[in-house]
Amino acid sequence: MNPELASTADFAQVRALLLACELPENDLNLSHMDDFLVLRSADGLAGCVGLERAGNAGLLRSLAVAPESRSVGLGDVLLRAIEAKAGTAGIQRLFLLTTTASDFFAVRGYLPCPRSDAPDTIRSTTEFASICPASATCMTRPLGSTTSS
Ligand SMILES: CC(C)(COP(=O)(O)OP(=O)(O)OC[C@H]1O[C@@H](n2cnc3c(N)ncnc32)[C@H](O)[C@@H]1OP(=O)(O)O)[C@@H](O)C(=O)NCCC(=O)NCCS
């Protein structure tokens, strides 16, 4: 199963998957699908991940694997695929917010950081500014770094 570029036809399933995984989806619109990757299975979407571009920084968001498809490496595959997409787009640093998966990202090269470390362009995204709770952990990783596993 390889990540594919999402299309607007995936929009409803992406939102449903995020809802099932208790991730923010209210702020998503069709144009976000341009920077989403999905994993398709016979039963529908097994996973998704998204990127919001903000100059040379990016917000990694909406990494979700369907509960029945977890722990076989799909989360890792999606993460590496969106990092590659971001790198190709000239993004030099990724930021993310997570309430439940900081350990998952930590072993993949992401370090916690204060929200104030994120550039204004990232902090003004809807997810950053108003959707994720203040208690969410902010993490960051430079792209092209060799610190990941
Ligand atoms: C986080 C998530 C994407 C991982 O997907 P996955 O396909 O199960 O991950 P992988 O199979 O690639 O990796 C599994 C490894 O990650 C670890 N892991 C999975 N979810 C984790 C979590 N929430 N916190 C810490 N570690 C986690 C597993 O213990 C396993 O570790 P191991 O390899 O040492 O046994 C998935 O659990 C998910 O969709 N969670 C809900 C949404 C979410 O929190 N997204 C992240 C914020 S954007």
Side-chain angles (χ1 to χ4, degrees):
M1 209 184 293
N2 292 315
E4 298 172 32
L5 282 175
S7 79
T8 53
D10 295 311
F11 183 59
Q13 282 195 77
V14 165
R15 288 191 70 177
L17 178 60
L18 296 180
L19 205 53
C21 294
E22 299 183 346
L23 291 180
E25 43 76 38
N26 273 341
D27 63 316
L28 281 183
N29 57 54
L30 286 173
S31 69
H32 281 102
M33 294 300 99
D34 292 344
D35 281 320
F36 262 67
L37 300 175
V38 293
L39 285 171
R40 301 181 206 281
S41 74
D43 301 326
L45 287 192
C48 68
V49 64
L51 176 71
E52 289 195 40
R53 305 179 193 213
N56 62 5
L59 177 67
L60 189 158
R61 63 168 294 169
S62 305
L63 176 63
V65 172
E68 64 276 14
S69 300
R70 289 183 188 169
S71 297
V72 293
L74 298 184
D76 194 57
V77 165
L78 282 165
L79 181 62
R80 295 313 179 206
I82 203 74
E83 289 173 346
K85 180 174 167 59
T88 301
I91 289 172
Q92 293 172 4
R93 179 171 285 277
L94 288 174
F95 291 86
L96 63 85
L97 292 169
T98 181
T99 55
T100 59
S102 52
D103 290 349
F104 175 87
F105 291 108
V107 298
R108 289 162 179 84
Y110 289 77
L111 291 173
C113 68
R115 283 192 184 217
S116 55
D117 277 11
D120 288 347
T121 45
I122 293 289
R123 280 189 280 145
S124 62
T125 59
T126 307
E127 174 169 288
F128 225 89
S130 56
I131 303 256
C132 269
S135 58
T137 303
C138 183
M139 303 184 83
T140 186
R141 177 178 187 261
L143 293 180
S145 148
T146 55
T147 54
S148 64
S149 58

